[in-house]
C-alpha cells in the first residue's frame, strides 16, 4: 500500500497524529511518508494496531515509545508518567543555577528523565534517584542503560532509599512529585488516566508528597545547595511556607503560572 493513500484514509485522528503513528510503525521520516513510500503489509498492520490503541485513548508518546528530554531521549510506557514541557523547563532553569554539583538527588524520578538529563549535563556528579513504584524504577534503570549514563536508582519513599552518607551533601535536588488530590483524578482526560495513578495523585489533598519532601529536605542539602520542585499552581503559595527553613520561593513557568518552589541554601 502507498503511504499517501493510508494517510488519507484515517480521518478520525488529527493529521499530525496519523503521521507520527505512521513514522512509529514504519521507521520512515514524515517527509518521506508525505512524498510517498510503498509500505509492506506488516507495516500497515502495525500502523492499524497503533491507530486502534490511540482511538482507545492510549497516549501518543506511549505508542511512539520515546520522548526527548533535555539532551537525551527516554523510553516511556504505561509504567511511567510522560515527561512534560513544564518539567523540561524546570531542568533548563536549574542548570543555570548551579555550576559544578557533585551530588544530585531526583526524588519521584519516574522514567528517570530529570536524573539522566542532569547526569548528561553534569557528568562528574553522582546522581541518586528514587521512586515508590518498582515499575518506574525498572524503566529509569533501563533508560540509564539506553543513554549510557550511570545513575543510582533506588526503590522507596522519597529520601528513604537515598544513602544516608549524602545527608548534608546534596548540591542539587530536583523533584516532580505527584500533586493531584484524589477527587481530581476522575475529571482527568482519558488519555492522562492511562498514566500511572501513583504518578498523578498524592493523597486526599494533593500536597502530601511535596510536604513529605519539605519535612526532610533540610537534613540533606549542602550549604549553598539548590533545590527545585514542581508543584501544582494551586498549592505553590501554600506549600512554600513549608520550605522557609531552606529559603523557598515560588517561581512561574513560561505561561506565568506558579509552578515551582525553588531555593538556595545559605553558604556557611
Ligand atoms: C509526576 S511523576 C514524575 C515522573 C518524572 N520525574 C517526570 O518528571 O516526568 C511522579 C513520580 O513519583 C512517584 N512517587 C509517588 N509517590 C512517591 C513517593 N512517596 N516517593 C517516591 N516516589 C513517589 C511515582 O511513582 C511517579 O513515578
Amino acid at each position: 500500500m502507498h503511504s499517501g493513500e493510508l494517510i488519507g484514509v484515517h480521518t478520525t485522528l488529527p493529521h499530525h497524529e496519523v503521521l507520527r503513528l505512521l513514522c512509529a510503525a514504519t521507521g520512515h521520516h514524515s517527509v518521506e511518508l508525505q512524498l510517498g513510500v510503498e509500505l509492506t503489509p506488516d507495516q500497515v498492520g502495525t500502523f492499524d494496531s497503533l491507530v486502534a490503541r490511540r482511538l482507545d485513548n492510549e497516549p501518543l508518546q506511549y505508542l511512539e515509545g520515546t520522548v526527548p528530554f533535555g539532551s537525551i531521549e527516554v523510553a516511556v510506557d504505561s509504567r511511567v508518567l510522560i515527561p512534560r514541557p513544564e518539567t523540561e523547563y524546570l531542568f533548563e532553569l536549574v542548570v543555570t543555577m548551579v555550576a559544578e554539583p557533585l551530588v544530585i538527588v531526583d526524588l519521584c524520578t519516574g522514567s528517570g528523565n530529570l536524573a539522566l538529563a542532569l547526569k548528561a549535563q553534569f557528568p562528574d556528579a553522582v546522581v541518586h534517584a528514587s521512586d515508590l513504584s518498582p515499575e518506574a524504577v525498572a524503566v529509569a534503570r533501563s533508560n540509564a542503560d539506553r543513554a549510557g549514563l550511570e545513575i543510582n536508582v533506588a526503590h522507596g519513599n522519597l529520601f528513604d532509599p537515598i544513602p544516608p552518607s549524602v545527608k548534608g551533601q546534596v548540591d542539587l535536588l530536583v523533584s516532580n512529585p505527584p500533586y493531584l488530590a484524589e477527587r481530581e483524578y476522575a475529571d482527568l482526560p482519558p488519555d492522562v488516566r492511562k498514566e500511572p495513578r501513583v504518578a498523578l495523585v498524592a493523597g486526599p489533598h494533593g500536597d502530601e508528597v511535596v510536604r513529605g519532601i519539605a519535612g526532610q529536605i533540610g537534613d540533606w542539602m549542602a550549604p549553598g545547595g539548590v533545590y527545585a520542585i514542581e508543584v501544582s499552581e494551586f498549592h505553590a503559595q501554600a506549600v512554600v511556607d513549608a520550605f522557609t527553613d531552606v529559603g523557598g520561593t515560588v517561581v512561574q513557568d513560561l505561561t506565568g503560572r506558579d509552578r515551582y518552589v525553588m531555593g538556595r541554601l545559605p553558604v556557611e
Side-chain angles (χ1 to χ4, degrees):
M1 191 177 217
H2 197 260
S3 58
E5 208 181 320
L6 205 52
I7 293 167
V9 167
H10 284 281
T11 51
T12 37
L13 289 176
H15 179 73
H16 74 278
E17 292 204 6
V18 172
L19 256 185
R20 280 171 62 172
L21 292 179
L22 203 48
C23 291
T26 64
H28 284 293
H29 193 277
S30 64
V31 175
E32 288 176 288
L33 292 165
Q34 289 180 93
L35 287 174
V37 179
E38 208 49 48
L39 302 175
T40 66
D42 275 359
Q43 288 174 323
V44 175
T46 306
F47 171 71
D48 285 342
S49 83
L50 292 180
V51 168
R53 288 166 63 188
R54 182 67 191 121
L55 291 172
D56 189 34
N57 294 309
E58 203 164 326
L60 197 53
Q61 293 87 344
Y62 286 166
L63 300 174
E64 292 179 313
T66 57
V67 291
F69 190 89
S71 67
I72 60 161
E73 191 177 69
V74 289
V76 290
D77 61 32
S78 59
R79 295 172 293 174
V80 290
L81 190 95
I82 298 158
R84 304 292 204 268
E86 293 86 340
T87 311
E88 197 165 21
Y89 185 56
L90 177 143
F91 163 75
E92 286 168 13
L93 287 175
V94 297
V95 297
T96 66
M97 294 168 72
V98 287
E100 288 177 2
L102 293 179
V103 179
I104 297 176
V105 167
D106 173 24
L107 303 175
C108 305
T109 197
S111 62
N113 50 316
L114 276 169
L116 290 167
L118 288 167
K119 178 67 182 177
Q121 182 81 25
F122 302 113
D124 294 335
V126 175
V127 179
H128 297 280
S130 75
D131 202 288
L132 194 58
S133 151
E135 289 89 0
V137 168
V139 174
R141 285 180 181 158
S142 135
N143 273 326
D145 288 346
R146 177 192 170 89
L149 293 168
E150 202 176 309
I151 62 169
N152 306 308
V153 187
H155 172 229
N157 180 39
L158 298 180
F159 292 98
D160 291 355
I162 305 295
S165 56
V166 302
K167 271 193 179 181
Q169 312 274 315
V170 178
D171 299 308
L172 175 61
L173 182 141
V174 292
S175 183
N176 175 20
Y179 47 71
L180 293 181
E182 275 158 8
R183 68 183 147 64
E184 291 176 285
Y185 183 76
D187 294 332
L188 292 173
D191 51 352
V192 178
R193 274 188 277 122
K194 296 268 186 186
E195 295 180 88
R197 196 177 191 281
V198 66
L200 299 162
V201 175
H205 300 287
D207 60 358
E208 288 82 352
V209 181
V210 71
R211 287 189 184 278
I213 297 172
Q216 293 189 60
I217 191 169
D219 298 336
W220 292 84
M221 297 302 299
V226 166
Y227 74 90
I229 300 169
E230 188 169 328
V231 294
S232 157
E233 63 183 309
F234 306 114
H235 302 149
Q237 295 297 342
V239 300
V240 72
D241 289 346
F243 289 87
T244 38
D245 289 354
V246 283
T249 316
V250 174
V251 175
Q252 283 80 38
D253 68 10
L254 287 168
T255 65
R257 294 175 303 158
D258 292 342
R259 289 303 313 280
Y260 314 104
V261 171
M262 296 188 183
R264 186 188 297 277
L265 277 88
V267 182
E268 282 172 355

